[in-house]
Amino acid sequence: QVQLVESGGGLVQPGGSLRLSCAAPGFTLDNYAIGWFRQAPGKERERFSCISTNEVATFYDLSVKGRFTISRDKSIAYLQMNDLKPEDTAVYYCATKEFPRFCWEIDDYDYWGQGTQVTVSS
């Protein structure tokens, strides 16, 4: 069983930045791909980024490409979010799955964090 804990959410003005973390206390994620999802009010949860086990192969949805950067080490994943927009407001979740191939090939993740709220508003 893998427990994921997100942190770093909050209230930020448009154009601002936040850095989210996704930790797996006491667990090494070497063989696990990591995905970031978000769910805005009244909308379905969507995957917008992921990173594979090799730390190089990444995916970004067009809505965040060029503004968000995903990274990872052995037990923590990070999401650097720059130039935030009101439409980025959502609950952000990280998820993981033991998966040796490219992360964008994953259909279902096995373990999920509890989510962290990101609100972009002036």
Side-chain angles (χ1 to χ4, degrees), residues 27-33 53-55 72-75:
F27 196 86
T28 300
L29 295 171
D30 282 355
N31 298 319
Y32 287 71
T53 55
N54 64 8
E55 303 182 16
R72 63 178 294 169
D73 61 21
K74 289 186 180 296
S75 61

Side-chain angles (χ1 to χ4, degrees), residues 22-85:
C22 173
F27 196 86
T28 300
L29 295 171
D30 282 355
N31 298 319
Y32 287 71
I34 299 168
W36 281 100
F37 294 73
R38 63 186 180 182
Q39 187 167 20
K43 294 187 177 181
E44 293 187 355
R45 186 171 61 192
E46 62 169 355
R47 183 191 63 182
F48 63 88
S49 184
C50 67
I51 187 166
S52 306
T53 55
N54 64 8
E55 303 182 16
V56 176
T58 59
F59 161 81
Y60 298 96
D61 184 81
L62 287 176
S63 61
V64 305
K65 198 169 188 177
R67 300 187 298 122
F68 291 9
T69 303
I70 191 171
S71 61
R72 63 178 294 169
D73 61 21
K74 289 186 180 296
S75 61
I76 301 178
Y78 302 98
L79 184 70
Q80 178 65 43
M81 305 188 295
N82 297 328
D83 189 23
L84 283 161
K85 307 176 185 299

Side-chain angles (χ1 to χ4, degrees), residues 95-109:
T96 193
K97 181 184 181 73
E98 188 170 15
F99 196 82
R101 300 187 299 275
F102 296 125
C103 63
W104 52 84
E105 297 178 5
I106 297 175
D107 292 325
D108 297 298
Y109 283 79

